[in-house]
Every structure is written in C-alpha cells, then in structure tokens.
Amino acid sequence: MAVQNTGEVDAIGIDNITGNVTLAIFDSLDWGDEEEHLLLLQEKLNVYLSFIESGEVYSVYEQANGRNFEIKIHFKNNIPQSCKEFLNTVTEIISEAGFYLTYKIG
C-alpha cells in the first residue's frame, strides 16, 4: 500500500511515546510530476480524515477509543517547496479538526 492507493489506509497503530493513534501514509513516489503527486497526497489525506471523522476508525481499530489521532507521512524522497507549502496549509486545517499531521523524510 502507498500514497497512490488513495482509498486505503496504509498502516494504523498506537505511538508508544504519545499514545496517539497513528495513521501512516507511505510515500515512495518521486517528484517528477509535482502537481499529480500533490493531488494524490491530498486525496489520500482526505480519505484518512473521512476515516477518522466518520468514526469508521473505531470499528476497524478498537484501540482508537479515547485517543488522539495523528496522520504521519513517511516520504522516501526529499520534498519540494510546493509540498512544504501544501503541508503547512494542511497541518493547520487538520489541527483545526482536532488532529495532528507530521511527516518524516528518508
């Protein structure tokens, strides 16, 4: 599973340090087509938010009850400036919804 499989959650688990439910996105695509890549990422994030906000996460992952949620993107490749700007905007939106967005490169 990966960012291009926009209708699926790549991984879900509990962060041992924070206790948050972490929903992971694995992004191994290159950035040759930045616009298409960002659209895939946006679609994937929307699916994750819907999964959380609809409550579906609780029926799939019972350990989520009573916990905070974090979406963590694992980028294989360095991200361009356009992605950094996108992530800054999306982080604010996700934060306003009561969730966390983080990412890791490498």
Side-chain angles (χ1 to χ4, degrees):
M1 288 179 264
V3 70
Q4 59 268 36
N5 297 332
T6 55
E8 301 175 358
V9 173
D10 295 347
I12 187 169
I14 304 292
D15 183 291
N16 290 333
I17 296 170
T18 66
N20 293 337
V21 173
T22 301
L23 295 98
I25 296 174
F26 301 113
D27 187 334
S28 61
L29 296 178
D30 66 39
W31 288 92
D33 185 346
E34 286 183 33
E35 186 175 334
E36 178 65 23
H37 195 149
L38 288 172
L39 286 172
L40 285 171
L41 191 55
Q42 180 179 2
E43 189 173 339
K44 186 84 167 189
L45 286 167
N46 285 336
V47 166
Y48 277 45
L49 288 172
S50 176
F51 180 68
I52 297 167
E53 291 176 333
S54 71
E56 184 180 357
V57 65
Y58 301 110
S59 64
V60 173
Y61 195 71
E62 292 179 13
Q63 298 93 321
N65 286 316
R67 296 184 185 266
N68 292 320
F69 292 94
E70 171 189 23
I71 299 171
K72 185 168 189 174
I73 307 169
H74 297 266
F75 291 104
K76 179 180 178 182
N77 302 303
N78 286 329
I79 60 176
Q81 185 61 35
S82 61
C83 183
K84 291 175 186 174
E85 292 168 4
F86 170 78
L87 291 171
N88 286 338
T89 300
V90 171
T91 298
E92 288 181 37
I93 293 167
I94 290 175
S95 177
E96 289 172 5
F99 314 123
Y100 303 100
L101 176 68
T102 60
Y103 65 92
K104 176 182 174 183
I105 300 171

